[in-house]
Amino acid sequence: MINNQLRRAIMALGISVSILTTQLAFGQAKVIQAQTEQPLPSLNRDQPPVVTDKVIPLDQSELHDNITEWKKLLAKQPGWESWKQASWSVYPLGPGTHGWIVELTQDGQKVGYMIVSGDMHGGYVLTEYGKGSNPLFSLDTLHRVLTERGIISNHITVNDLVQGTAININRIYINALQALWKIVVNGKASYFDAITGALLDLEQEPTASIPDPHAQPSIGLTANLPLLAEHPVFDPYERMPWLTGKPLHISNFAAFQRAFKNNDELRLVCELYNGKLSMPLPVLGYVQWEQSEPLLIVDQEGERYISLSIALQLGNLYS
């Protein structure tokens, strides 16, 4: 059974306390000195963005143009209006993944993210996206967790964390349901879930194999609004059918549509990292764009839109 501490970590909302401006991300802003009783440990800054909405390296113009177009199309959907004027920055994911996370900010508040992967032709595809103030790989969430666990002083700001030099911070993205921070302090590595910030019981870094480009799920956005069905948000722990019941037999989109129509609540339950983390997520609905495979909408600190096929490979659905 999942303990209360993990439940709170999974369900708690992360509050955005700071954003990284383009100047700060490129190391042009002045470092704010933390007022601590002991000297601030040297922190190894996370990788700077490779692209932003205002700075375009010559070799990244195609990535910039794709992100601009995807943001424009998503912002046309009802409920996504905050994306219209949002600024964004792109950060590389872990080694070997050939992927990037796009972080969107509007009026000082984070409003969502996109995951972009390289394709077999040297281009870029959108593979995941989500909205909310606590997106995937939020530095604010990481800062809060490191502060609560006493890994850093509560006087150290998010800016200090990014600008410093002895805590090594890395993003590791294996797939939509297995994304984590790797934090190395004094040679010892710890791993934290990239959405909730929950400490993961891992002795070594999970393998992030390079995906087969032919099997890489991609989201083909179009100017037309997608097929959409939604249920209200609910607490997946109010009932825990995965403890005593059997999962639904769902292997394709048609079967999922029937199950979603016939059940007011569906839970996606995943046993991740060789069973070290059990993660139940409320299923809010599904989306299908004209040129895309179906996407599952799950609630995890905000709405996340992930490949249905990936979700069915990594978890089971319970009513």
Side-chain angles (χ1 to χ4, degrees):
M1 182 180 295
I2 302 171
N3 61 36
N4 290 332
Q5 182 179 4
L6 180 56
R7 173 181 175 175
R8 287 194 298 270
I10 291 175
M11 301 303 298
L13 292 175
I15 302 175
S16 178
V17 297
S18 175
I19 63 168
L20 302 178
T21 63
T22 302
Q23 283 189 328
L24 176 60
F26 280 88
Q28 298 169 349
K30 182 179 180 181
V31 178
I32 301 173
Q33 297 299 323
Q35 301 300 316
T36 60
E37 296 179 0
Q38 299 180 351
L40 176 67
S42 152
L43 305 168
N44 188 21
R45 73 174 294 183
D46 195 16
Q47 293 175 291
V50 292
V51 181
T52 73
D53 61 328
K54 296 180 174 33
V55 180
I56 314 169
L58 292 178
D59 62 343
Q60 297 291 349
S61 59
E62 182 182 353
L63 176 60
H64 180 281
D65 293 344
N66 284 340
I67 292 169
T68 300
E69 181 64 17
W70 293 328
K71 183 176 83 77
K72 177 182 176 181
L73 292 172
L74 288 170
K76 291 181 178 179
Q77 295 187 90
W80 292 74
E81 292 79 9
S82 62
W83 281 42
K84 290 181 180 179
Q85 302 300 321
S87 60
W88 49 265
S89 296
V90 182
Y91 297 85
L93 297 176
T97 59
H98 197 49
W100 299 265
I101 180 163
V102 183
E103 186 178 90
L104 293 99
T105 303
Q106 169 67 8
D107 293 332
Q109 181 78 11
K110 293 177 183 176
V111 295
Y113 74 95
M114 293 183 275
I115 294 291
V116 181
S117 298
D119 66 15
M120 61 182 298
H121 305 294
Y124 304 95
V125 293
L126 178 66
T127 58
E128 176 187 344
Y129 61 90
K131 66 178 179 177
S133 61
N134 190 51
L136 188 68
F137 289 113
S138 167
L139 282 165
D140 296 321
T141 300
L142 179 64
H143 175 268
R144 172 179 55 81
V145 169
L146 296 182
T147 302
E148 290 175 351
R149 291 186 170 274
I151 297 174
I152 61 174
S153 165
N154 57 11
H155 295 289
I156 297 176
T157 68
V158 175
N159 294 351
D160 296 325
L161 182 64
V162 174
Q163 291 279 322
T165 65
I167 296 180
N168 188 282
I169 303 171
N170 292 284
R171 300 174 179 88
I172 298 176
Y173 183 87
I174 300 173
N175 51 55
L177 296 171
Q178 296 181 103
L180 58 155
W181 291 102
K182 179 182 179 181
I183 308 299
V184 181
V185 182
N186 296 326
K188 182 179 180 181
S190 298
Y191 302 91
F192 299 87
D193 184 83
I195 280 280
T196 66
L199 178 64
L200 303 176
D201 181 20
L202 300 177
E203 296 179 356
Q204 60 186 11
E205 181 177 327
T207 302
S209 58
I210 299 174
D212 178 358
H214 297 281
Q216 178 75 1
S218 63
I219 303 170
L221 305 184
T222 64
N224 297 327
L225 291 178
L227 173 67
L228 172 69
E230 292 183 286
H231 284 334
V233 178
F234 64 93
D235 182 351
Y237 293 97
E238 288 183 355
R239 292 190 303 105
M240 294 185 283
W242 63 90
L243 296 179
T244 57
K246 294 183 178 180
L248 301 175
H249 295 289
I250 297 176
S251 58
N252 55 50
F253 183 42
F256 172 78
Q257 284 180 300
R258 289 192 295 271
F260 187 77
K261 180 180 179 180
N262 295 330
N263 294 277
D264 292 334
E265 295 181 352
L266 286 181
R267 295 158 175 81
L268 175 67
V269 181
C270 305
E271 298 292 334
L272 306 175
Y273 309 113
N274 295 319
K276 291 184 178 296
L277 175 64
S278 179
M279 185 171 66
L281 298 173
V283 176
L284 303 185
Y286 61 86
V287 167
Q288 186 174 35
W289 296 84
E290 291 178 350
Q291 301 175 12
S292 174
E293 72 164 84
L295 303 176
L296 198 65
I297 309 173
V298 297
D299 178 54
Q300 191 183 25
E301 311 288 351
E303 292 182 8
R304 300 184 66 193
Y305 292 67
I306 65 177
S307 162
L308 175 63
S309 62
I310 292 294
L312 294 178
Q313 289 175 37
L314 297 175
N316 291 301
L317 289 165
Y318 292 83
S319 59

